[in-house]
Amino acid sequence: MTKALDVHGISRRGFVQMASGLTFVLGVGGVTAVRASALNDAPLEVSHWLSIRPDGVISIVFPATEMGQGSYSTLPQILAEELDANWDDVEIEQLNADDRRFGNPLFGGVLYTAGSTAVQAFFEPMRRAGAQARDVLLQVAARELGVAKEELRTEPSVVIAPDGSRMSYGELVALGADGVTVPDAERVNLKDKSEFRIIGKDLPRRDVFAKSTGMAEYAIDVDLPNMAYATVLRAPVEGERPVSINDAAARAVPGVLDVVSLPDGVAIVAESLWSALGARSELEVEWSEDAPARQFNSEDTLRQYAQAADDPDAEHAVWAEKGDARAAIAAADRTYGQMYLSDYAYHAQIEPMAAVASVDADGQGAEVWAGTQTQSWTTRTVMDVLGIPEENVRLNMMTMGGSFGRRTAFAQDYVRDALLSSKAVGRPVKVIWTREDDVKHGTFRPAAAQKLEAGLTADGKLDGWHHKVATPTVIGFFNPVRWASVRPNDVISMRGAESKFYGITDFRADHIITPRQARLAPYRGIGAAYTSFAAEAFMDELAEQAGRDPLDFRLDLVEDNPRGRHILEKVAEMSGWRNRGDRALGLSFAGYSSSMAAGVAEIEVDADSGDIAVKHFWAAVDAGLIVSPDNTMNQIEGGIVFGISMALREKIDIENGEVLQNNYWDYEIARANQIPQIEIYVADVDAPPVGIGEVGTPMVSAAIANAFHATTGRRLRHMPFTPDRVLGVMAS
Amino acid sequence: MTKFVLNGQPVEYANSPDEMLLLVIRDTADLKGTKYGCGAAMCGACTVHVDGQAMFSCQMSLGDVEGAEVTTIEGLSDDGSHPVQKAWVAEQVPQCGYCQSGQIMRAAALLSENPDPSREEIVDYMSANLCRCGTYNRIFKAVERAAKEV
């Protein structure tokens, strides 16, 4: 169903010769030109958004990458809707190059699938491209039938004349586009919501059948003729390098082809992964011992960050500000402050890092198969590692076995491993990281210490809010080029701290940019995964200080946000909040970017073991227009499960620069028997779509902490809420 | 040579009998539907049936299956028509999909030994397999749906 798309010269010419049909060239404002080859072999200039062939097949480009979020199906559906295409006629073309014409407008045109932005970013351009193409088909039909375009209408993939006669899109394409003009993108007619046949309906995802039959192909599955396998023994600490390698025993293992020294490790290349793994255990490597990262100890890190958060004179960058928070707090009737901590967390995607590379014999080009969140930076990695120009990079973007931010880096070391190994042995090489490699050399959600201070009026209302987040810059590590242009504003580190769904008159959020003491990456929910924990746990404490119900206290703050008020009231109704009696319920109101979510957790605490069990979770979400309702429910539910997992267990420890955890047995993620009943309400609103991939996660941890307070009277202020911490808090 | 039956066909492989069964299935038999996730019996992405039982193929060696019947996701049905697979599609379970071959194999093993499991039995049995996308509640529903059709 998927056809590779390559924009480089040779392939483009091939495509031109092969193609027959109408193609649409999309400029900044939409389709700007249309070319037809009709039934003859007239040359045509191919655009990459869509093409319609005379056999009726409609090809639509998928400009993002698929990691489970479903936009592989959703984005082409947006275009198909306005084209009024029969979805069964659509084939999806994965974009396999750093072609900035398809760049994500929310990331300055970089091909980057992150931040729940794909639908939000591509909704307008893909709708308009579909509408323009439909208009062109109507013009062809009008010309052929000798009627005015306005007298025609469409049903899926067919134009219908006033007399009821029907012409399929394929038939129209075969007639050619002589005399046709392309309507202006900004003025083309778009469907009214009531006319939608695809958007808002439950079309099955395109990838579900393949993923239910073992047929979906991930990077780790790619198999090429003459392919070898590689595994890498990595330096135990960031920044160290091999200083001496005794590989005699490793080379003696049957099947071993080569031992390749990498800047930060040693790769074994062998005829099978089994041989490579066996040989790796025979390697003796002496590592350098002078890297600054040897000083990294996560307990010390968190202590330092907490001191910085508590230091009124700490250097900071203002992340969000309204009014004068410090003056309001100083003048308030009462003030209250608390510190919240959170540890490093690991993505734990089930497909570990893997990539296949086939470097050309002359070293001047390469084909690469990888699953990443960015065509742009994967291309860049190949160029940088081999020192070759972009046009010599042949990329295949594979569906990912989960990512959650793991595969976003500017420089992708697993792709590098595959390239250098392939170059060394002159064969295609597949590199697979073991789970232990993936954990020990993971890139983590940063540790953070957050100090919140607020004022309260005598009648128990919020009067000034100051949120300080002491955490490093994530962008500065995983993408220094981007950091150079956005510094000091780090959305990855700070998202959520803006608390923008509340109307807080005097508000300020500061980023105290602390020294980095681990490898870092975006992680599902990015900053909101911890800033919303602190903000919403603190909100609950403030309500208690004010002697108010946590729901009422929040409702005061959403007077100017009726949509937010609606979901707060809705989740209260769903959970029976007003009549909760002694049930252990906790409320939270967070979300992600412009998507809002209100959640209520019901928990049970085992006072002997310190285990928290989430029994029930209710969520009300407003994410604007919903393109794929069923997938939306799946994503929100998955986001909630992710939130439960990270709130209860997920923690990476670092000692002397080494990650202590190894595998899922000491980095536990939520299992089937830890999953609550989950009920989700999604608001039906007339507003643009704003993303559903991460909205479920940020609210969860505070809802659990607040429910814990409801049942124990104690506060959990350090995430994750591991049994030892729970017991400690209960004994205090 | 190790001889066994793989997806109904007799096979024999010259790989070392010590080699991890998962790697033999993936790289020698070229059946890529069975996945590597942890190599430590923690995630279940490598779940296959050995003589009808759900097993972690990362915890078995080739020699362990001498004479046995091994079934992978590719052998569950030719065309996705196994009731568990149909239920997975009907409930639109997968997100990234990487764990789902293992989930489906475990669910199929459950239903073959217990055709009418309670929700509690489903949850308990399926807790051997991890899904990082968090599709667990859909997995439960799909197993219940499949149970009605088995």
mmCIF file with all atom_site columns, all heavy atoms in Angstrom, chain A residues 211 218 221 347 435 634 637 650 670-671, chain B residues 35-37 42 92 95-96 132 136-137:
data_model
loop_
_atom_site.group_PDB
_atom_site.id
_atom_site.type_symbol
_atom_site.label_atom_id
_atom_site.label_alt_id
_atom_site.label_comp_id
_atom_site.label_asym_id
_atom_site.label_entity_id
_atom_site.label_seq_id
_atom_site.pdbx_PDB_ins_code
_atom_site.Cartn_x
_atom_site.Cartn_y
_atom_site.Cartn_z
_atom_site.occupancy
_atom_site.B_iso_or_equiv
_atom_site.pdbx_formal_charge
_atom_site.auth_seq_id
_atom_site.auth_comp_id
_atom_site.auth_asym_id
_atom_site.auth_atom_id
_atom_site.pdbx_PDB_model_num
ATOM 1   N N   . LYS A 1 211 ? -0.287 -4.589  11.522 1.00 0.00 ? 211 LYS A N   1
ATOM 2   C CA  . LYS A 1 211 ? 0.218  -4.696  12.890 1.00 0.00 ? 211 LYS A CA  1
ATOM 3   C C   . LYS A 1 211 ? -0.491 -5.796  13.679 1.00 0.00 ? 211 LYS A C   1
ATOM 4   O O   . LYS A 1 211 ? -0.112 -6.071  14.820 1.00 0.00 ? 211 LYS A O   1
ATOM 5   C CB  . LYS A 1 211 ? 0.088  -3.337  13.591 1.00 0.00 ? 211 LYS A CB  1
ATOM 6   C CG  . LYS A 1 211 ? 1.082  -2.302  13.066 1.00 0.00 ? 211 LYS A CG  1
ATOM 7   C CD  . LYS A 1 211 ? 0.867  -0.910  13.645 1.00 0.00 ? 211 LYS A CD  1
ATOM 8   C CE  . LYS A 1 211 ? 1.973  0.044   13.153 1.00 0.00 ? 211 LYS A CE  1
ATOM 9   N NZ  . LYS A 1 211 ? 1.750  1.430   13.653 1.00 0.00 ? 211 LYS A NZ  1
ATOM 10  N N   . TYR A 1 218 ? 9.406  -2.797  10.676 1.00 0.00 ? 218 TYR A N   1
ATOM 11  C CA  . TYR A 1 218 ? 10.124 -1.775  11.444 1.00 0.00 ? 218 TYR A CA  1
ATOM 12  C C   . TYR A 1 218 ? 11.596 -1.803  11.012 1.00 0.00 ? 218 TYR A C   1
ATOM 13  O O   . TYR A 1 218 ? 12.049 -2.760  10.371 1.00 0.00 ? 218 TYR A O   1
ATOM 14  C CB  . TYR A 1 218 ? 10.000 -2.085  12.943 1.00 0.00 ? 218 TYR A CB  1
ATOM 15  C CG  . TYR A 1 218 ? 8.559  -2.179  13.409 1.00 0.00 ? 218 TYR A CG  1
ATOM 16  C CD1 . TYR A 1 218 ? 7.814  -3.342  13.217 1.00 0.00 ? 218 TYR A CD1 1
ATOM 17  C CD2 . TYR A 1 218 ? 7.928  -1.099  14.020 1.00 0.00 ? 218 TYR A CD2 1
ATOM 18  C CE1 . TYR A 1 218 ? 6.491  -3.434  13.614 1.00 0.00 ? 218 TYR A CE1 1
ATOM 19  C CE2 . TYR A 1 218 ? 6.603  -1.176  14.428 1.00 0.00 ? 218 TYR A CE2 1
ATOM 20  C CZ  . TYR A 1 218 ? 5.884  -2.343  14.223 1.00 0.00 ? 218 TYR A CZ  1
ATOM 21  O OH  . TYR A 1 218 ? 4.568  -2.422  14.621 1.00 0.00 ? 218 TYR A OH  1
ATOM 22  N N   . ASP A 1 221 ? 13.496 -4.908  11.446 1.00 0.00 ? 221 ASP A N   1
ATOM 23  C CA  . ASP A 1 221 ? 13.096 -6.052  10.618 1.00 0.00 ? 221 ASP A CA  1
ATOM 24  C C   . ASP A 1 221 ? 13.712 -6.025  9.219  1.00 0.00 ? 221 ASP A C   1
ATOM 25  O O   . ASP A 1 221 ? 13.558 -6.994  8.465  1.00 0.00 ? 221 ASP A O   1
ATOM 26  C CB  . ASP A 1 221 ? 11.570 -6.070  10.440 1.00 0.00 ? 221 ASP A CB  1
ATOM 27  C CG  . ASP A 1 221 ? 10.837 -6.183  11.760 1.00 0.00 ? 221 ASP A CG  1
ATOM 28  O OD1 . ASP A 1 221 ? 11.376 -6.826  12.684 1.00 0.00 ? 221 ASP A OD1 1
ATOM 29  O OD2 . ASP A 1 221 ? 9.725  -5.622  11.862 1.00 0.00 ? 221 ASP A OD2 1
ATOM 30  N N   . HIS A 1 347 ? 12.352 6.512   28.024 1.00 0.00 ? 347 HIS A N   1
ATOM 31  C CA  . HIS A 1 347 ? 11.213 6.333   27.110 1.00 0.00 ? 347 HIS A CA  1
ATOM 32  C C   . HIS A 1 347 ? 10.644 4.920   27.134 1.00 0.00 ? 347 HIS A C   1
ATOM 33  O O   . HIS A 1 347 ? 9.434  4.736   27.050 1.00 0.00 ? 347 HIS A O   1
ATOM 34  C CB  . HIS A 1 347 ? 11.644 6.669   25.678 1.00 0.00 ? 347 HIS A CB  1
ATOM 35  C CG  . HIS A 1 347 ? 12.193 8.053   25.529 1.00 0.00 ? 347 HIS A CG  1
ATOM 36  N ND1 . HIS A 1 347 ? 13.524 8.337   25.676 1.00 0.00 ? 347 HIS A ND1 1
ATOM 37  C CD2 . HIS A 1 347 ? 11.583 9.227   25.275 1.00 0.00 ? 347 HIS A CD2 1
ATOM 38  C CE1 . HIS A 1 347 ? 13.717 9.643   25.499 1.00 0.00 ? 347 HIS A CE1 1
ATOM 39  N NE2 . HIS A 1 347 ? 12.549 10.200  25.255 1.00 0.00 ? 347 HIS A NE2 1
ATOM 40  N N   . ARG A 1 435 ? 18.289 -4.209  24.803 1.00 0.00 ? 435 ARG A N   1
ATOM 41  C CA  . ARG A 1 435 ? 17.532 -3.395  25.761 1.00 0.00 ? 435 ARG A CA  1
ATOM 42  C C   . ARG A 1 435 ? 18.485 -2.732  26.756 1.00 0.00 ? 435 ARG A C   1
ATOM 43  O O   . ARG A 1 435 ? 18.332 -1.555  27.093 1.00 0.00 ? 435 ARG A O   1
ATOM 44  C CB  . ARG A 1 435 ? 16.508 -4.268  26.520 1.00 0.00 ? 435 ARG A CB  1
ATOM 45  C CG  . ARG A 1 435 ? 15.715 -3.535  27.601 1.00 0.00 ? 435 ARG A CG  1
ATOM 46  C CD  . ARG A 1 435 ? 14.931 -2.353  27.085 1.00 0.00 ? 435 ARG A CD  1
ATOM 47  N NE  . ARG A 1 435 ? 14.170 -2.684  25.897 1.00 0.00 ? 435 ARG A NE  1
ATOM 48  C CZ  . ARG A 1 435 ? 13.578 -1.806  25.105 1.00 0.00 ? 435 ARG A CZ  1
ATOM 49  N NH1 . ARG A 1 435 ? 13.639 -0.518  25.366 1.00 0.00 ? 435 ARG A NH1 1
ATOM 50  N NH2 . ARG A 1 435 ? 12.921 -2.209  24.025 1.00 0.00 ? 435 ARG A NH2 1
ATOM 51  N N   . ASN A 1 634 ? -7.981 6.118   21.675 1.00 0.00 ? 634 ASN A N   1
ATOM 52  C CA  . ASN A 1 634 ? -6.842 5.224   21.905 1.00 0.00 ? 634 ASN A CA  1
ATOM 53  C C   . ASN A 1 634 ? -5.614 6.017   22.363 1.00 0.00 ? 634 ASN A C   1
ATOM 54  O O   . ASN A 1 634 ? -4.906 5.615   23.297 1.00 0.00 ? 634 ASN A O   1
ATOM 55  C CB  . ASN A 1 634 ? -6.543 4.444   20.612 1.00 0.00 ? 634 ASN A CB  1
ATOM 56  C CG  . ASN A 1 634 ? -5.849 3.102   20.862 1.00 0.00 ? 634 ASN A CG  1
ATOM 57  O OD1 . ASN A 1 634 ? -5.485 2.763   21.991 1.00 0.00 ? 634 ASN A OD1 1
ATOM 58  N ND2 . ASN A 1 634 ? -5.650 2.342   19.814 1.00 0.00 ? 634 ASN A ND2 1
ATOM 59  N N   . GLU A 1 637 ? -6.183 7.478   25.948 1.00 0.00 ? 637 GLU A N   1
ATOM 60  C CA  . GLU A 1 637 ? -6.081 6.392   26.921 1.00 0.00 ? 637 GLU A CA  1
ATOM 61  C C   . GLU A 1 637 ? -4.622 5.963   27.089 1.00 0.00 ? 637 GLU A C   1
ATOM 62  O O   . GLU A 1 637 ? -4.150 5.769   28.222 1.00 0.00 ? 637 GLU A O   1
ATOM 63  C CB  . GLU A 1 637 ? -6.945 5.208   26.467 1.00 0.00 ? 637 GLU A CB  1
ATOM 64  C CG  . GLU A 1 637 ? -6.962 4.095   27.485 1.00 0.00 ? 637 GLU A CG  1
ATOM 65  C CD  . GLU A 1 637 ? -8.159 3.163   27.306 1.00 0.00 ? 637 GLU A CD  1
ATOM 66  O OE1 . GLU A 1 637 ? -9.277 3.656   27.067 1.00 0.00 ? 637 GLU A OE1 1
ATOM 67  O OE2 . GLU A 1 637 ? -7.962 1.959   27.425 1.00 0.00 ? 637 GLU A OE2 1
ATOM 68  N N   . GLU A 1 650 ? 8.547  5.109   37.307 1.00 0.00 ? 650 GLU A N   1
ATOM 69  C CA  . GLU A 1 650 ? 9.665  5.275   36.376 1.00 0.00 ? 650 GLU A CA  1
ATOM 70  C C   . GLU A 1 650 ? 10.734 6.232   36.896 1.00 0.00 ? 650 GLU A C   1
ATOM 71  O O   . GLU A 1 650 ? 10.465 7.406   37.143 1.00 0.00 ? 650 GLU A O   1
ATOM 72  C CB  . GLU A 1 650 ? 9.122  5.755   35.027 1.00 0.00 ? 650 GLU A CB  1
ATOM 73  C CG  . GLU A 1 650 ? 8.240  4.711   34.383 1.00 0.00 ? 650 GLU A CG  1
ATOM 74  C CD  . GLU A 1 650 ? 7.832  5.089   32.988 1.00 0.00 ? 650 GLU A CD  1
ATOM 75  O OE1 . GLU A 1 650 ? 8.606  5.761   32.296 1.00 0.00 ? 650 GLU A OE1 1
ATOM 76  O OE2 . GLU A 1 650 ? 6.714  4.712   32.595 1.00 0.00 ? 650 GLU A OE2 1
ATOM 77  N N   . ALA A 1 670 ? 4.164  0.270   33.257 1.00 0.00 ? 670 ALA A N   1
ATOM 78  C CA  . ALA A 1 670 ? 2.861  -0.264  33.661 1.00 0.00 ? 670 ALA A CA  1
ATOM 79  C C   . ALA A 1 670 ? 2.504  -1.526  32.882 1.00 0.00 ? 670 ALA A C   1
ATOM 80  O O   . ALA A 1 670 ? 2.674  -1.595  31.663 1.00 0.00 ? 670 ALA A O   1
ATOM 81  C CB  . ALA A 1 670 ? 1.783  0.797   33.465 1.00 0.00 ? 670 ALA A CB  1
ATOM 82  N N   . ARG A 1 671 ? 2.024  -2.508  33.606 1.00 0.00 ? 671 ARG A N   1
ATOM 83  C CA  . ARG A 1 671 ? 1.542  -3.766  33.016 1.00 0.00 ? 671 ARG A CA  1
ATOM 84  C C   . ARG A 1 671 ? 0.011  -3.805  33.023 1.00 0.00 ? 671 ARG A C   1
ATOM 85  O O   . ARG A 1 671 ? -0.642 -2.989  33.660 1.00 0.00 ? 671 ARG A O   1
ATOM 86  C CB  . ARG A 1 671 ? 2.068  -4.952  33.830 1.00 0.00 ? 671 ARG A CB  1
ATOM 87  C CG  . ARG A 1 671 ? 3.535  -5.180  33.646 1.00 0.00 ? 671 ARG A CG  1
ATOM 88  C CD  . ARG A 1 671 ? 4.031  -6.452  34.327 1.00 0.00 ? 671 ARG A CD  1
ATOM 89  N NE  . ARG A 1 671 ? 5.465  -6.575  34.068 1.00 0.00 ? 671 ARG A NE  1
ATOM 90  C CZ  . ARG A 1 671 ? 5.980  -7.126  32.970 1.00 0.00 ? 671 ARG A CZ  1
ATOM 91  N NH1 . ARG A 1 671 ? 5.197  -7.680  32.061 1.00 0.00 ? 671 ARG A NH1 1
ATOM 92  N NH2 . ARG A 1 671 ? 7.283  -7.152  32.783 1.00 0.00 ? 671 ARG A NH2 1
ATOM 93  N N   . LYS B 2 35  ? 9.044  -10.287 17.689 1.00 0.00 ? 35  LYS B N   1
ATOM 94  C CA  . LYS B 2 35  ? 9.934  -9.146  17.922 1.00 0.00 ? 35  LYS B CA  1
ATOM 95  C C   . LYS B 2 35  ? 10.869 -9.350  19.105 1.00 0.00 ? 35  LYS B C   1
ATOM 96  O O   . LYS B 2 35  ? 10.541 -10.027 20.075 1.00 0.00 ? 35  LYS B O   1
ATOM 97  C CB  . LYS B 2 35  ? 9.101  -7.885  18.189 1.00 0.00 ? 35  LYS B CB  1
ATOM 98  C CG  . LYS B 2 35  ? 8.107  -7.523  17.102 1.00 0.00 ? 35  LYS B CG  1
ATOM 99  C CD  . LYS B 2 35  ? 8.736  -7.302  15.740 1.00 0.00 ? 35  LYS B CD  1
ATOM 100 C CE  . LYS B 2 35  ? 7.706  -6.796  14.738 1.00 0.00 ? 35  LYS B CE  1
ATOM 101 N NZ  . LYS B 2 35  ? 8.212  -6.829  13.364 1.00 0.00 ? 35  LYS B NZ  1
ATOM 102 N N   . TYR B 2 36  ? 12.005 -8.681  19.022 1.00 0.00 ? 36  TYR B N   1
ATOM 103 C CA  . TYR B 2 36  ? 12.909 -8.555  20.158 1.00 0.00 ? 36  TYR B CA  1
ATOM 104 C C   . TYR B 2 36  ? 12.539 -7.288  20.921 1.00 0.00 ? 36  TYR B C   1
ATOM 105 O O   . TYR B 2 36  ? 12.412 -6.211  20.327 1.00 0.00 ? 36  TYR B O   1
ATOM 106 C CB  . TYR B 2 36  ? 14.361 -8.441  19.676 1.00 0.00 ? 36  TYR B CB  1
ATOM 107 C CG  . TYR B 2 36  ? 15.307 -7.994  20.769 1.00 0.00 ? 36  TYR B CG  1
ATOM 108 C CD1 . TYR B 2 36  ? 15.793 -8.911  21.692 1.00 0.00 ? 36  TYR B CD1 1
ATOM 109 C CD2 . TYR B 2 36  ? 15.681 -6.656  20.903 1.00 0.00 ? 36  TYR B CD2 1
ATOM 110 C CE1 . TYR B 2 36  ? 16.633 -8.504  22.717 1.00 0.00 ? 36  TYR B CE1 1
ATOM 111 C CE2 . TYR B 2 36  ? 16.530 -6.240  21.926 1.00 0.00 ? 36  TYR B CE2 1
ATOM 112 C CZ  . TYR B 2 36  ? 16.999 -7.166  22.836 1.00 0.00 ? 36  TYR B CZ  1
ATOM 113 O OH  . TYR B 2 36  ? 17.817 -6.760  23.855 1.00 0.00 ? 36  TYR B OH  1
ATOM 114 N N   . GLY B 2 37  ? 12.378 -7.426  22.244 1.00 0.00 ? 37  GLY B N   1
ATOM 115 C CA  . GLY B 2 37  ? 12.114 -6.234  23.048 1.00 0.00 ? 37  GLY B CA  1
ATOM 116 C C   . GLY B 2 37  ? 13.053 -6.107  24.221 1.00 0.00 ? 37  GLY B C   1
ATOM 117 O O   . GLY B 2 37  ? 13.508 -5.014  24.543 1.00 0.00 ? 37  GLY B O   1
ATOM 118 N N   . MET B 2 42  ? 10.822 -10.168 30.077 1.00 0.00 ? 42  MET B N   1
ATOM 119 C CA  . MET B 2 42  ? 10.096 -9.096  30.762 1.00 0.00 ? 42  MET B CA  1
ATOM 120 C C   . MET B 2 42  ? 9.012  -8.453  29.913 1.00 0.00 ? 42  MET B C   1
ATOM 121 O O   . MET B 2 42  ? 8.092  -7.853  30.446 1.00 0.00 ? 42  MET B O   1
ATOM 122 C CB  . MET B 2 42  ? 11.071 -7.995  31.202 1.00 0.00 ? 42  MET B CB  1
ATOM 123 C CG  . MET B 2 42  ? 12.093 -8.418  32.229 1.00 0.00 ? 42  MET B CG  1
ATOM 124 S SD  . MET B 2 42  ? 11.384 -9.132  33.730 1.00 0.00 ? 42  MET B SD  1
ATOM 125 C CE  . MET B 2 42  ? 10.417 -7.759  34.346 1.00 0.00 ? 42  MET B CE  1
ATOM 126 N N   . GLN B 2 92  ? -9.475 -2.138  16.847 1.00 0.00 ? 92  GLN B N   1
ATOM 127 C CA  . GLN B 2 92  ? -8.420 -1.171  16.503 1.00 0.00 ? 92  GLN B CA  1
ATOM 128 C C   . GLN B 2 92  ? -7.431 -1.038  17.664 1.00 0.00 ? 92  GLN B C   1
ATOM 129 O O   . GLN B 2 92  ? -7.171 0.051   18.178 1.00 0.00 ? 92  GLN B O   1
ATOM 130 C CB  . GLN B 2 92  ? -9.038 0.189   16.152 1.00 0.00 ? 92  GLN B CB  1
ATOM 131 C CG  . GLN B 2 92  ? -9.867 0.158   14.868 1.00 0.00 ? 92  GLN B CG  1
ATOM 132 C CD  . GLN B 2 92  ? -9.006 0.263   13.614 1.00 0.00 ? 92  GLN B CD  1
ATOM 133 O OE1 . GLN B 2 92  ? -8.398 1.275   13.326 1.00 0.00 ? 92  GLN B OE1 1
ATOM 134 N NE2 . GLN B 2 92  ? -8.931 -0.829  12.863 1.00 0.00 ? 92  GLN B NE2 1
ATOM 135 N N   . GLN B 2 95  ? -1.269 0.602   18.334 1.00 0.00 ? 95  GLN B N   1
ATOM 136 C CA  . GLN B 2 95  ? -0.797 1.959   18.042 1.00 0.00 ? 95  GLN B CA  1
ATOM 137 C C   . GLN B 2 95  ? 0.526  1.802   17.300 1.00 0.00 ? 95  GLN B C   1
ATOM 138 O O   . GLN B 2 95  ? 0.534  1.705   16.084 1.00 0.00 ? 95  GLN B O   1
ATOM 139 C CB  . GLN B 2 95  ? -0.678 2.786   19.324 1.00 0.00 ? 95  GLN B CB  1
ATOM 140 C CG  . GLN B 2 95  ? -2.047 3.118   19.928 1.00 0.00 ? 95  GLN B CG  1
ATOM 141 C CD  . GLN B 2 95  ? -1.977 4.045   21.114 1.00 0.00 ? 95  GLN B CD  1
ATOM 142 O OE1 . GLN B 2 95  ? -1.038 4.799   21.297 1.00 0.00 ? 95  GLN B OE1 1
ATOM 143 N NE2 . GLN B 2 95  ? -2.993 3.984   21.966 1.00 0.00 ? 95  GLN B NE2 1
ATOM 144 N N   . CYS B 2 96  ? 1.642  1.708   18.027 1.00 0.00 ? 96  CYS B N   1
ATOM 145 C CA  . CYS B 2 96  ? 2.898  1.464   17.291 1.00 0.00 ? 96  CYS B CA  1
ATOM 146 C C   . CYS B 2 96  ? 2.923  0.048   16.755 1.00 0.00 ? 96  CYS B C   1
ATOM 147 O O   . CYS B 2 96  ? 3.568  -0.229  15.748 1.00 0.00 ? 96  CYS B O   1
ATOM 148 C CB  . CYS B 2 96  ? 4.115  1.767   18.144 1.00 0.00 ? 96  CYS B CB  1
ATOM 149 S SG  . CYS B 2 96  ? 4.749  0.411   19.142 1.00 0.00 ? 96  CYS B SG  1
ATOM 150 N N   . ARG B 2 132 ? 3.890  -0.364  25.642 1.00 0.00 ? 132 ARG B N   1
ATOM 151 C CA  . ARG B 2 132 ? 4.257  0.982   26.078 1.00 0.00 ? 132 ARG B CA  1
ATOM 152 C C   . ARG B 2 132 ? 3.265  2.031   25.571 1.00 0.00 ? 132 ARG B C   1
ATOM 153 O O   . ARG B 2 132 ? 3.153  3.110   26.148 1.00 0.00 ? 132 ARG B O   1
ATOM 154 C CB  . ARG B 2 132 ? 5.673  1.302   25.602 1.00 0.00 ? 132 ARG B CB  1
ATOM 155 C CG  . ARG B 2 132 ? 6.201  2.659   26.053 1.00 0.00 ? 132 ARG B CG  1
ATOM 156 C CD  . ARG B 2 132 ? 6.116  2.854   27.548 1.00 0.00 ? 132 ARG B CD  1
ATOM 157 N NE  . ARG B 2 132 ? 7.084  3.849   28.029 1.00 0.00 ? 132 ARG B NE  1
ATOM 158 C CZ  . ARG B 2 132 ? 7.056  4.348   29.250 1.00 0.00 ? 132 ARG B CZ  1
ATOM 159 N NH1 . ARG B 2 132 ? 6.126  3.958   30.124 1.00 0.00 ? 132 ARG B NH1 1
ATOM 160 N NH2 . ARG B 2 132 ? 7.952  5.229   29.633 1.00 0.00 ? 132 ARG B NH2 1
ATOM 161 N N   . TYR B 2 136 ? -3.765 -1.490  26.702 1.00 0.00 ? 136 TYR B N   1
ATOM 162 C CA  . TYR B 2 136 ? -4.228 -2.637  27.491 1.00 0.00 ? 136 TYR B CA  1
ATOM 163 C C   . TYR B 2 136 ? -5.757 -2.806  27.523 1.00 0.00 ? 136 TYR B C   1
ATOM 164 O O   . TYR B 2 136 ? -6.260 -3.911  27.355 1.00 0.00 ? 136 TYR B O   1
ATOM 165 C CB  . TYR B 2 136 ? -3.720 -2.528  28.926 1.00 0.00 ? 136 TYR B CB  1
ATOM 166 C CG  . TYR B 2 136 ? -2.224 -2.610  29.058 1.00 0.00 ? 136 TYR B CG  1
ATOM 167 C CD1 . TYR B 2 136 ? -1.488 -1.517  29.511 1.00 0.00 ? 136 TYR B CD1 1
ATOM 168 C CD2 . TYR B 2 136 ? -1.526 -3.774  28.739 1.00 0.00 ? 136 TYR B CD2 1
ATOM 169 C CE1 . TYR B 2 136 ? -0.103 -1.585  29.663 1.00 0.00 ? 136 TYR B CE1 1
ATOM 170 C CE2 . TYR B 2 136 ? -0.152 -3.852  28.876 1.00 0.00 ? 136 TYR B CE2 1
ATOM 171 C CZ  . TYR B 2 136 ? 0.560  -2.755  29.337 1.00 0.00 ? 136 TYR B CZ  1
ATOM 172 O OH  . TYR B 2 136 ? 1.922  -2.835  29.482 1.00 0.00 ? 136 TYR B OH  1
ATOM 173 N N   . ASN B 2 137 ? -6.476 -1.722  27.747 1.00 0.00 ? 137 ASN B N   1
ATOM 174 C CA  . ASN B 2 137 ? -7.934 -1.887  27.842 1.00 0.00 ? 137 ASN B CA  1
ATOM 175 C C   . ASN B 2 137 ? -8.530 -2.370  26.519 1.00 0.00 ? 137 ASN B C   1
ATOM 176 O O   . ASN B 2 137 ? -9.498 -3.128  26.504 1.00 0.00 ? 137 ASN B O   1
ATOM 177 C CB  . ASN B 2 137 ? -8.607 -0.590  28.309 1.00 0.00 ? 137 ASN B CB  1
ATOM 178 C CG  . ASN B 2 137 ? -8.511 -0.413  29.819 1.00 0.00 ? 137 ASN B CG  1
ATOM 179 O OD1 . ASN B 2 137 ? -8.623 -1.390  30.575 1.00 0.00 ? 137 ASN B OD1 1
ATOM 180 N ND2 . ASN B 2 137 ? -8.288 0.815   30.275 1.00 0.00 ? 137 ASN B ND2 1
#
